[in-house]
Structures are given as C-alpha cells and as structure tokens.
Amino acid sequence: MSGVKASLRAAKAALDANKYQDAIDQAKTVLKTDSNNYHAYTFTPIAPVLAVIRLTTASSNVFLGRALEKLDQNDDSEKAYIAAIGIKAKDALAWQGLVGLYEKQNGKKLDSYHDAAIRLAEIHMNENDKIRCQTVVHKYTGNAQKYGSRAQYKHSLEILLPTTTLYDYLEGRIPQPAFTYSKIADIEEVEEKEKINTEIGQRRTRLGAKIDQVTSEVKREVLENSPLESLYENIIDWTHDDEIRRQYEERLLQHAYDTLIVVPTAKKAVKRKQVQKMAQGLVILKHQFLLAWTIDLEWKDVADIEEMDAGLLREFIALFPDGGLSKLLRGFLDSDISPFPKLTESIQEQNGESEDNSPLSGDDKLILMTEGMEESSSSILAHRIMGLMYLHLEEHESAAATARQGLQRLSNESDMSGLALGNLFDATRIVLGRALVQFQAPRHHPEAMELFENVLHHKPSESSALIGIGLILEEQEEYVNAIEFFDRALKRSSDPKIKAEAAWCKALNGDSETSLHELEACLPNMQGSDTRAKLLRSQTLYRVGMCIWSRETSSEARKNRQGAYAWFLASLQADLNYAPAYTMLGIYYADYGRDRKRARKCFQKAFELSSSEVEAAERLALSFAKSGEWDLVEIVAQRVVESGKVRAAPGSKKKGVSWPFAALGVVQLNNQKYPQSIVSFQSALRISPEDYHCWVGLGESYHNSGRYIAATKAFEHAQNLEKTYKDSSFKDSWFLKYMLANVKRELGQYDDAIAAYQEVLKSRPAEFGVAIALLQSLVEGAWHSIALGFFGRAADAASEAINVAKSVAKEHHESFNLWKAVGDACSIFTFASAYSSRLPIQVLLSLLEADIDLQVYNILAEIDGISDETLQTLIQSDQQAPSPLPLSMRAAILAQKRAIHACANDIHARAVAWYNLGWTEHRAHVCCQDGLKTESKQKLLKHLKASVQAFKRAIELEAGNAEFWNSLGIVTTELNPKVSQHSFVRSLYLNDKNARVWTNLGTLYLIQNDVQLANDAYIRAQSSDPDYAQAWLGQGLLAMQMGEVNEARKLFAHAFEIADSSSPMIKRQFAMSTFDHLLSSRISSMTSAIQPLFALHQLRSQVSADFAFQHLLSLFAERVGDFGDAAATLDLVASNLEAEYETSESPVLLMRFALAKADLSRAQLAEREFEAAAENAETALNLSEEEDVKNEARQKIRLSAHMTAGLAYYYQGTMNQAISMFRSALEETQGDPDIVCLLAQVLWAKGGDEERSVAREQLFDCVENHPGHSGAIILLGVIAVLDDDRDTIEAVTADLEGLRDRDSLTAQEQSKVAELLMTISALFPGEEGQDASEMSQATATTMLAPSQPHGWSQLAGLSEESYPAKMVVLTVTKACPPGGNLDANDLSKAYSGTRRLDDAQRAVMVAPWTAQGWEALARR
C-alpha cells in the first residue's frame, strides 16, 4: 500500500512539474498493483482531490487520464476517464475530466459531450450545487451552438425544456421554455424547408416524374412527420406575450393548413377539424390573419348568400380594407343585389366608418367589385358574388365565364380540404346555368340543361333550376313540358315573372285566349319603377299584343290600331329599349301600314337593341340587298351569326336559321373571298340541307376557288333538288346548268360543257355570256383536241365556233372575246392543215365584213401587208375558191386586229389583244417556213417583223407581264439575238420559275453555238418543270450537235413520250432519230417503228405539205408491213415532187423524185402490183441515168429499182427481163452476193439446163469470192440436194456446220441452216440410220441455240414427248415482238404442235386465218 501511495505522490509531483510522461508511468505502476485505482485514471490537480488521495489509497489511480489529456492523447485519455467512471460512476471527478476533455475538442465529440454534460449536471444537482450545475449546462449549450450542427444545437436545447429533470432545479437560472421552444422551432423550420427542396430536386429528375406530383409527395412525407405543430403549441402554452402567442397561432394554422392540402383523403377529416377550429378561434378573437378569415368564409357551405353573417363580412372588410375580397364585398354589400340591410349613417358614425365607407355610385361599385375580383381570383366567395352581379347586369358571357372559374375553384378546394361543399356547387351551377340560358341562346342550352338537372337530382324543388329548365324547353318549343316546370316553380314562389312566363308558353303552344287572360292578370303586380320591373312590364305588354296578333289573323283586325298595335306601343312606353316590340311594329308598318320608311327604322332600332331579333335582321338585310348595300348586308348577317340564335341546340325540335350564313356567302362570293363563302354556304346547308340556292352558291364558290370536283357534286345535288321538287318553280335553273357547264369546261370535259351551253341557249337565246362561253368552249375544246392529236375533231370544233360566232356577232359585234375566239378558231386550221377544207369560208368572210369600218383592219398593214384590201380581195375571189389554208391565216390576223379595235377602252384587254396578234403573226411566219406560203418568199420575214411590233405594243401597255417579254424574245431570236436575250432575261426577272422561258433562252444560246450556257438553261428548265417536253427536245438537239447520237435519240424519245400532239418539231426529230437508229441497228423490231409511224401520221395532219416527212412515213409504213398506206403516201409524194420539179427543174428535186418512184415501186411489189411496180422502177432507172446526179444516192436508187423491177418481172413470168435487171444490178454493184443469190434463184426458176448451169456457176463464184456468205452456201446446198450431188453436199454440209457456229447469223439464217442440215440428214443419213441422224442433228441445233425455236421445233417433230413442244411455245413467245420478229403465224404453229386442246384453241385465237390451228383443234 505504501508503494501505491508513493507512486501516486510521484505521479502528483510529475504532474505539477509538467512531466506528464513520468506521471503516466507512475500511474501505470499503480494500476499494475491496483487496477481499480480511481485516481490513477482520473487525477486532477485540485485540493479536494489531494485530500481524497490522502484519505483513500483505493482511489489513487486518477492521474492517468489527466496526463494523457495534457499530451493530447485524447482517445486514450477518454478511455482512462471512462474506466475511472466505471469504478465510481457517481463521483464528479472523472465526469469533470471527461466533460473538460470534450469541451476542449471543439465539437468533435459533441454527441458524447451531451450525455456527459447531463450526467455531470445531475451529479451537481444531487450535490445541490446550482452554480456548477448551471455552468455545465451553459458551457455545453454554448459549445453546441458554436461548433455543432443545427440538429446538434437543437438537441442541446432540449435539456432546457420542461420535460427534463434539470428544468425544475434550474428554473429561473435558464431561459424560459417559450424562448427555447422558439429556438428549436426556428431550427426545425429551416431543416424542413431544406429537406423539401432537396427531395424535390432529386426526385424531379426521375423518368416520368411530374413536378406537381413530386412536390405533393415530398411535402406529405415531411409535413406528416413534422414536430413543428407540437412546438408551436408549446410556445403558445408557455409564452406570456400575447403578440408572440398570436404570431405562433398563425404559424400553427398555416402549417396545419399546408399539411391538410397534402395529406391523403382518409386523414383529411381529422386535420380539417383542427384547421377549422383554429381558424374560428382566430376569427372570434378578430385577429387580423387573412388565412383564418378566408377559411372561415370560404368553407361556409350555404345555399344562399343571405345565410352568411353580414357582421362577419363587415368585420372582414374592416380588418382587411385593401384586400381584393374586401373591395368586392364592400361593393356587393352596397349594391342592389345584396340581401343584407344597408348600414344607416348613425351606425356608421358609431363604428367610425363615415369617412371610409361613403356611399358609392353604381359605376363605382362595379369598378370596385371588378378590381376586387382581379385581386382575389382564387376566392370561391368572390366568384359566386361576381357571377350574381353579372347576372343582375345581364352580362351573361361574363357571368358564365366567372361561374366556370368558380366551379373549378370549388373543385380544387373540395379536393384539397375534403369538404363536399354541395350547396356551394349547386349555387354556382345555378349561376352558370342561368347565364348559359341567355348567352348565345340556344347554343349552350344542352349544357345548361345538364347543370339544372344535376341540381334537381338532389334538390327537386330548387326554383332557379326549375325556371331555367322551363326557359330552355320554351326555347326548344317543348311548351307542354315547359309549362309543367314553371308550375312546379310556382308552388314555391308567386313571382309574377314566372306566372307570365308560364302564360306565354301557353300562347306559344296555341292557347292564346288563356294566355291573354293570365298575362293581363299579371300586369297589376308589375308596377315597380326599377329597370327590371319596367322590362318585365314591357315584355308582358308585348306578349299580350302578340296573343291578340295571333288570335286576330285577318288583315282588317291587324290594321286596327286599337288592337295588337296599341299593346306594342304600350310595351315601348313601359321600356323604350325592348327590341321585340320594335320588330312587331316594323312588321305592322311593312305589311299593313304601308310605311316602308317607318318599318325600316323600326327594324333598325330592334336590331340595334338586340342582335337576337332575327326577323328584324332578315327584313333589314333584304332591304339592304335590294338597294345594293352589300356591306350593310354583311354586317347584319355577321351580327346575327354572332348572336348564337341561328343554330338550334343539339336535340332541339326548333329549326335553325340559315339565311344569315347564306347572306354572308353571297357577300363573300361577290367580294371574291371564296374560302370564306364556302364555309358560309356549308354552314347554311347544315341548317337547311335542301336550300337550292345555297347549293348553287356553294358550287359557284367551289368553282371560283378551283375545286371543280366539289363544285360538280354541289351543282348535281342542286339538280337533284330540282327533280325532287317538280312543283316548285326554280326560276334560275338555267344558271345552274350554265355554272355546271363552266365546271365541265374547267375539267376539260368540253363535249359535256358544249352540250350544256347549247341547252341553256335553247331556253335563253339572248344570254350573251352563255353564248360567249359556248364559243370559248368550242375553241378550247379544239385546242385540247390538237394537244391529244384529234386534228379532225379540232377542225370540226373550230368550224362550229365560227358558225356560233356569226350568230353572236349579230347582237354583240364589239366584244373582244368574240373576235379573239374567231382568231383562235382560224389559227386552229394552221395546226391541222390536212383538214383545212372544213373551214366555213363564206361564213368567215361575211363575219369579218359585217358591222365594221374596214379601216380597222389596217393595223400594222404597212408591215404584214394584211389590210382591208386583203379582206376585199378574199371576198371577191370567193367564187374562185381560194385556198382555205392561207385564207384561214389571213382571217386569223384580221380577227385579232378587230379584237384590238373592240377593246380600245380597256388598257389591260388591249395589251392582251396585241399579244394575241403577235402570236398570230408569228404563226403566219412559221407557216411560211413550213411551206404553207401565204406570201412570196421574198417577204417571209414580214409577219415576223409585225409580230415584233405587236409584242412591243403589248409590253408598252403592260411592262410587268413576263409572258409578253418571253414572246418578244422568241420572235427576235432570228432578227436580233441581243434584244432576244434581254427579253428572256427580263422575263426571268419577273418569273424565274418559268420552264418555257429557260428553254427559249437555251435555244437562243444553242443557235449562237454557246453550248455550255445552252446546257445550263435546259437543265434549269427541266428542274423547274420536268414535264415540259421542249426542254428535253432542246437537250436532244444539243446532244446531236455534240455528236452524241444515242443520247440525242433517247432525249427525243423522252420528249415525245411526255409531249402533247401540238409540236411538229418533236415528232420530226423523234422520227428521224428513230429511223437513223433502225438503219444502223443490225437487229430491229417492228414495234420500234410503230410510235414514229403514229407521230408522222399526226405530223401529216398538221403539216400536209411536208413531203419529206411523208416520204419518211412511207418508209416506216413499209417496215411495219402497211404497204398499201406506204404506196398511197409515196404516190402523193411523187406527184407533188414531179410538179415541183417541172416548175424549178432542180437536180435535187429530180433525185428526190427518182427516190420516191423507186420506193413506190418497192411498196407496189409488196402489194403484188407487179406491172405498176415494174413501170415505176423503170421510171426511177430512167430518171437516175442523168450524169449530174451520179453519187451514192444514185447508186442506191438504181440498185433498189433494178431489184424491184427484176422481182416484178419474175413474178410476172418474164424471166428474160428479170434476168436482165439482175445482171444490170450485178454490173453496177460489182457482184454483190445478195444479188447473185437472187439472180441464181431466178435462173433456176426459169427451168432451162443452161440457166441452171449458169446459176450453179454464179453461186460457186460467189462462195469463192465471199466464203462466209450464208445465202450462197444455203442455195448451193439446196441445188446439190436437188441434183443428188453427194460431193457438193459433203462440202456444203461442212461449210454449214462451221457456219452455224457463228454469232453473226441472224435467227432467220440460223433457222434456214438448221432446216437444210435436217433435210440432208433425212435424205442422206449416215451409218447410224435416218432416225438417229435426224435426232442427232436436231439435238445439236438445240444445244447450239437453246433460245431459238427452230431446234426445239425439230425435236418436237421427232419426239413424242411434250417438253420440246412446250419449249417451242416458250421460245416463239419470246421471239415475237417486241422481243423478236416472229409473227402470229409462227406463234399459232407453235401452239398447234403441243397436241393439247387449250393450245389448239390458242392457235386459232392467235391466227384464225391459218389452217394449222383449226387442224390441231379438229384432231383434239
């Protein structure tokens, strides 16, 4: 024991000497001896401890913790103190050391500090040492405030609350509980706010998260578990300051209200009771907290405003005078609709309100309430009161909008608070229903009916709902049901207004007598002086007058000014602003008083007062329409439409009113507002589907807006109405037919349009517009036929147009459209020159001569030479039958000149007339170049120069027209390229999307040899309009110039495919390029010549004098096998060339004439006209003997003529002449192998031994000189077979075997080789026998050419199997056009060889003129 004490003393001394490590060592020595030594763990250098040390050796281990603390070994020090506490838990020494250690660490061990401080304070409390106890608490809370978090500081403050054991001991020495609770509440508020914001920020980023939903969820989680309400209640309970108490009562109510908003519905009832109780308490105390008063007022579920406490409302106004709801309530309480008594001046003086609440005027009240409504837009009470005010002011639209907003606020408040608020909902629905009954009636009646029925569902006797339904039924003309509802309302109310309404329903239901008495009985009760009473009395007097008016229907009775008229006047005396009375007075003056001026004034007054006066509006609009005041008609109709009276409510028996929409449609149609007029007529037809005139107006609107299909349907529907109502008189039915014809014309259905115009003219022959439309349709139809290639039809239409123009000119000879149509009709014959004989010359000349000073034809006469003298010359030469084609050209120019005279007073029409004249002059120039010579060749440019002048005049009148500039560019291309380029550029400046202008510019560049610019222009044209054929034509010409022949041919073909039939140039280039391709192509199909053949046929109809292309037409006809057409065409060409040659004696014409004769003879040979063929061939040979035409063309002509003549003589049986021709051909061609073959065949056919010997020699020489010539080898083989010359057969067989391997042989040549080899195999078989030899030969042929039918055909003949025959059909089908040159006979033969019934039938169908198909069918 003495050793322990010595160690303790040594430890004490070391501590005093600041030798802390020595102290630790001494303390550990003590602990080794006595592990429970208290002071060894917890030594503190204070006097009481020394005394303890002296007294108690058992507690000598208190030094260790202190020494470790001094060496900043805090964790080991803490363990030492805790060990000491474990030895003596109620001793303050170790706790003091531990508390000091925690305090020294500046908040690092604040949570442990909390527990240690409480234990130490309790030890001091037990020792009754208040000073030390207070000090411990004070130091701890200060340390927590300084170094701890908000949560730790809040935790530290909790030891000061009355709920702890220390509070009673230290009361008076620590802060009051209210202060502590307020500190904790402040910390809790901040933490809640931060937590809410943090959670919302985190959750809102989740997929599918909605901010409102996230906010509600987070607030619910936080507020439901919030301790703030408990803290607020404790503050309220402990504080002695009333101001602080009220402050925290506000916070408590606000927090409870916020919690109520977010809690689940199941928990709302309990929370709502708490909120209501707190709010009522604050209201009772008249505390100025807006939320409490708002809750108390807004949550009062009263059926009527008068059930509310007026004093409470005035207190609210006094407490919150500047609030929006207060302003509204102040205006309401002073208004006429307030059910509460007004405050007298004495009461106001007692309350001190005389200055603040001075009386307001009616306007000031409304302004104040409106301002208050804007500031309190979330208030249910505000919406309810404002809705009633708007109803009182008859501002039904505003009342409806306000009530709708109120219902939305009610729904939100009900969902938030959990209150049913049934009375409030019903009251607001009634306000909305009453507003909808009047607002744009009957548009909103279904909605109003639903609202009233909803109210009556749980309040069957609600008067307002019963009256509302009664008014709706009255509007829907269901008078019996309406009376029933009014009677139900009268059981609860004796209001004279309801009685009058019920009586009026009886009148409308036909019981005028009963209604009259009941209405008169209501009048004594309508003696009020206010506006509503006056209006009610005026309305009742008017209805009495209407009962009398309905009862007394005779003219005499209605004229009586003591009858209904007097009651209408009395109605206006009661209220000068009652519109229906003015309407009836207007009807009286219009129909019976014969005073239209007064009637119009009455109707205007009625319509000014109320746009719902539909009858007055209709009569007013009709009077405006009669006087041509269409703007006023539009205004009246638009106001009626906006009134909502025109459309019946869904499900209503009442019919709508369609005339306002029809009137709007007419006005909009006249103003060219076609989309709006369509909508208006459609609206009218929805109301009146059988309105004939609306259907016509709708069709006309569709037509003018370019919707022709819809217009057709509308007009056809109107026609059906005509047929349905046969008894009705449709005075304007001709106009319907006329408009329908216009639509057909726009759709390109010219035949139907022309027939319709003619039908209209039968009933109304004097209609100039219809006649002009017929004339224009004929001309347009003719142009359409030109585009389609129906040139004969175009000529007929043009001829008919001239005849129609003759009849029109009798009455209207100064019409621009008339003469323009005549000029166009004459021009049509220049596009169909083959039918120019159909021109009605006499009618045309008489038309041009009639009713005009012939001097008007002298326009540009000094340039083009077309004047009045021209017309007189044509008339005088009429008996000599002038050529119709030049005549039509001159007549077209004269007609366009007269069109200029006809529009002298219209600058725009005059510009168009000059433009038309320019194109007509240009057409005359083109016709001259094409050979349709209207003048001598020396004056070919006169029409072109006249065209330039005409286009210049047009540009002077209308310089902004892009088409005029384009036309000037076209006609100056030849005369002045610079002017032409400028014109095209100017046109493109005005419209750079015009493909025609780009094409014309490209053509100008092409003529000037600027290839790159031409190509760019053509590409731009193609991009602007890919379907414009002339752009592709120009590109083809450019490719031709660059030497790209194949590309040019493809471009010409594409241009021809997309072009119409009006352009001769495209047909010429397409035909020439195709023919050149056919000549250069080794293999050609008949089908490739069909399209150019059709193109040339059309070209012949357009330009009948173009003999070069007619010659080309005959060559195409010859290729497709139409030898008759070819011969006829060539005969005509030859005749014309002969006539021209006799005139000019040109060597070129002579060669062309010889060529025509040679080709004609060849066509006649194909037609088996051998004598004519021989004669023409001889003629061609005679013509080509001239020395000045010796060239390559001459050689071809003579060769063709020799061959044709030889064959013709051969078929005539004159072999010597045939042989002579062939020998001559051989001499001129220097032994051409093909001619040798023909000569050999003719010699062999002659039959003599000498001739046959010569044939053999010629063929042997041919084979020797041309060893690869298949024709000569085949002929030698045939002769050898006939002569049974085995040596020759062997040599020929070898040559044939090598020949058929060549790819250069055509299919026909391969077939001949195979057939000859098969014959040789059959007649001269090898060792294997005839059958095997034939089969081997057929198999070899098939293997060498499996895609050709001849090998399979041989196999099919030798084999009984069906497969070869099927392959024959397949290969022949592929070899038929366009895949090959086999014809119907070949296909029929292939079908016949399959031995099948269906194929035999096909053989007959394919070629019924052949016997093989019928034979195969007979065998089946």
Side-chain angles (χ1 to χ4, degrees), residues 1199 1203 1222 1226 1229 1231-1241 1259 1262 1266 1269-1272 1275 1309:
L1199 175 61
M1203 298 296 294
F1222 288 132
L1226 279 175
T1229 60
D1232 184 273
D1234 291 328
I1235 298 177
V1236 170
C1237 291
L1238 285 173
L1239 178 58
Q1241 292 179 66
L1259 288 173
C1262 181
H1266 304 280
H1269 192 268
S1270 60
L1275 284 176
E1309 291 173 339

Side-chain angles (χ1 to χ4, degrees), residues 1329-1361:
Q1330 180 179 349
D1331 294 340
S1333 179
E1334 289 180 345
M1335 182 62 71
S1336 175
Q1337 194 60 241
T1339 304
T1341 302
T1342 304
M1343 294 299 293
L1344 288 171
S1347 61
Q1348 297 299 325
H1350 50 266
W1352 293 106
S1353 180
Q1354 291 174 355
L1355 279 178
L1358 296 173
S1359 174
E1360 296 295 329
E1361 296 183 6

Side-chain angles (χ1 to χ4, degrees), residues 349-525:
E349 291 176 358
Q350 292 176 7
N351 295 335
E353 300 176 357
S354 57
E355 295 182 1
D356 296 337
N357 294 327
S358 56
L360 299 173
S361 65
D363 293 340
D364 291 339
K365 292 174 187 175
L366 183 59
I367 293 172
L368 185 63
M369 293 180 71
T370 304
E371 182 181 346
M373 182 65 206
E374 293 176 355
E375 296 177 6
S376 59
S377 58
S378 61
S379 172
I380 299 171
L381 182 60
H383 283 87
R384 181 178 182 181
I385 292 174
M386 206 63 200
L388 293 172
M389 175 57 73
Y390 284 135
L391 282 180
H392 176 71
L393 298 174
E394 296 185 357
E395 295 288 339
H396 300 110
E397 182 177 4
S398 299
T402 304
R404 290 187 192 280
Q405 294 174 3
L407 284 174
Q408 184 61 44
R409 300 292 185 278
L410 269 172
S411 179
N412 295 339
E413 191 70 23
S414 178
D415 294 339
M416 181 274 298
S417 64
L419 289 169
L421 302 177
N423 290 327
L424 286 176
F425 272 110
D426 289 342
T428 310
R429 290 191 186 106
I430 289 173
V431 172
L432 177 58
R434 290 174 60 189
L436 293 178
V437 168
Q438 303 298 331
F439 174 54
Q440 292 186 345
R443 178 179 179 181
H444 303 288
H445 281 182
E447 183 182 358
M449 177 72 81
E450 184 179 354
L451 290 169
F452 290 136
E453 288 176 348
N454 194 338
V455 173
L456 292 177
H457 181 68
H458 44 84
K459 291 184 179 180
S461 58
E462 179 61 44
S463 299
S464 299
L466 292 170
I467 295 171
I469 292 179
L471 293 173
I472 293 172
L473 294 174
E474 178 184 338
E475 180 68 26
Q476 294 178 355
E477 299 182 357
E478 298 182 15
Y479 303 118
V480 176
N481 295 332
I483 293 170
E484 179 185 351
F485 276 92
F486 285 133
D487 289 342
R488 288 173 60 185
L490 285 171
K491 292 179 181 179
R492 297 195 61 192
S493 174
S494 58
D495 189 349
K497 181 179 179 180
I498 304 176
K499 293 181 180 179
E501 206 65 49
W504 179 238
C505 284
K506 295 178 182 178
L508 295 175
N509 198 35
D511 191 359
S512 300
E513 195 67 33
T514 304
S515 175
L516 177 62
H517 295 306
E518 292 182 0
L519 288 171
E520 289 176 343
C522 293
L523 286 173
N525 299 323

Side-chain angles (χ1 to χ4, degrees), residues 1109-1414:
F1109 283 91
Q1110 289 193 38
H1111 194 159
L1112 182 61
L1113 184 151
S1114 67
L1115 297 180
F1116 276 108
E1118 183 182 7
R1119 281 182 173 266
V1120 300
D1122 191 357
F1123 304 112
D1125 183 44
T1129 304
L1130 286 168
D1131 189 23
L1132 176 63
V1133 171
S1135 300
N1136 283 279
L1137 289 173
E1138 183 179 11
E1140 290 186 21
Y1141 175 73
E1142 290 175 356
T1143 302
S1144 63
E1145 295 186 355
S1146 168
V1148 176
L1149 286 176
L1150 180 62
M1151 187 175 67
R1152 288 176 59 188
F1153 178 47
L1155 177 62
K1157 282 293 186 179
D1159 291 342
L1160 174 60
S1161 66
R1162 190 172 62 251
Q1164 290 171 335
L1165 176 65
E1167 283 287 286
R1168 308 188 70 80
E1169 298 176 2
F1170 305 122
E1171 184 176 353
E1175 180 183 352
N1176 285 313
E1178 292 282 1
T1179 303
L1181 290 171
N1182 294 332
L1183 293 172
S1184 60
E1185 285 180 351
E1186 300 293 333
E1187 294 182 359
D1188 58 346
V1189 292
K1190 289 186 177 181
N1191 50 30
E1192 185 179 356
R1194 172 183 175 277
Q1195 295 176 3
K1196 292 182 179 180
I1197 292 172
R1198 292 186 64 79
L1199 175 61
S1200 175
H1202 277 120
M1203 298 296 294
T1204 304
L1207 290 172
Y1209 288 133
Y1210 169 76
Y1211 285 111
Q1212 284 181 337
T1214 55
M1215 296 299 178
N1216 293 330
Q1217 291 178 308
I1219 293 171
S1220 174
M1221 286 294 173
F1222 288 132
R1223 284 177 175 171
S1224 299
L1226 279 175
E1227 292 174 1
E1228 294 194 9
T1229 60
Q1230 299 177 356
D1232 184 273
D1234 291 328
I1235 298 177
V1236 170
C1237 291
L1238 285 173
L1239 178 58
Q1241 292 179 66
V1242 173
L1243 290 171
W1244 189 270
K1246 189 174 180 182
D1249 293 338
E1250 183 179 355
E1251 286 81 0
R1252 292 188 177 185
S1253 176
V1254 173
R1256 292 188 189 95
E1257 292 175 3
Q1258 291 287 341
L1259 288 173
F1260 277 119
D1261 292 340
C1262 181
V1263 171
E1264 183 178 356
N1265 295 327
H1266 304 280
H1269 192 268
S1270 60
I1273 297 173
I1274 291 171
L1275 284 176
L1276 272 177
V1278 172
I1279 291 174
V1281 170
L1282 293 174
D1283 291 343
D1284 196 14
D1285 187 351
R1286 294 183 177 270
D1287 294 335
T1288 304
I1289 289 173
E1290 184 176 353
V1292 168
T1293 303
D1295 290 341
L1296 291 175
E1297 292 287 353
L1299 191 64
R1300 67 178 180 178
D1301 294 338
R1302 297 180 183 178
D1303 295 333
S1304 59
L1305 290 183
T1306 64
Q1308 289 79 6
E1309 291 173 339
Q1310 290 179 358
S1311 178
K1312 290 179 180 179
V1313 170
E1315 186 176 356
L1316 180 57
L1317 286 173
M1318 178 63 71
T1319 302
I1320 293 173
S1321 298
L1323 295 177
F1324 306 98
E1327 296 178 357
E1328 66 274 13
Q1330 180 179 349
D1331 294 340
S1333 179
E1334 289 180 345
M1335 182 62 71
S1336 175
Q1337 194 60 241
T1339 304
T1341 302
T1342 304
M1343 294 299 293
L1344 288 171
S1347 61
Q1348 297 299 325
H1350 50 266
W1352 293 106
S1353 180
Q1354 291 174 355
L1355 279 178
L1358 296 173
S1359 174
E1360 296 295 329
E1361 296 183 6
S1362 61
Y1363 180 75
K1366 292 180 181 178
M1367 288 303 299
V1368 172
V1369 172
L1370 180 61
T1371 53
V1372 170
T1373 303
K1374 290 183 178 180
C1376 288
N1381 294 324
L1382 297 184
D1383 55 15
N1385 293 331
D1386 299 315
L1387 186 58
S1388 176
K1389 181 179 179 181
Y1391 279 125
S1392 301
T1394 62
R1395 305 182 185 91
R1396 292 178 53 181
L1397 177 60
D1398 54 345
D1399 283 340
Q1401 292 173 338
R1402 291 187 181 94
V1404 173
M1405 292 298 296
V1406 169
W1409 58 86
T1410 61
Q1412 55 198 7
W1414 294 103

Side-chain angles (χ1 to χ4, degrees), residues 661 677-687 698 702 707:
F661 293 108
S677 67
I678 289 172
V679 174
S680 298
F681 284 124
Q682 286 176 339
S683 300
L685 288 170
R686 289 190 189 100
I687 298 171
L698 179 61
Y702 278 136
R707 299 168 63 179

Side-chain angles (χ1 to χ4, degrees), residues 577 579-580 605-614 616 639 643 645:
N577 294 324
K605 183 65 175 178
F607 191 63
E608 288 173 4
L609 292 172
S610 175
S611 59
S612 299
E613 289 301 307
V614 179
R639 278 198 64 193
S643 71
K645 288 287 186 180

Side-chain angles (χ1 to χ4, degrees), residues 134-183:
Q134 179 186 354
T135 301
V136 171
V137 172
H138 179 70
K139 286 183 177 181
Y140 165 61
T141 55
N143 190 277
Q145 183 178 10
K146 185 176 182 181
Y147 301 110
S149 63
R150 282 196 298 266
Q152 290 173 329
Y153 179 53
K154 180 181 68 173
H155 193 41
S156 70
L157 291 175
E158 290 176 354
I159 67 175
L160 303 178
L161 296 177
T163 55
T164 63
T165 57
L166 294 175
Y167 174 77
D168 293 335
Y169 181 69
L170 296 176
E171 187 176 5
R173 291 178 175 268
I174 59 176
Q176 292 184 354
F179 177 80
T180 305
Y181 278 121
S182 64
K183 289 284 187 181

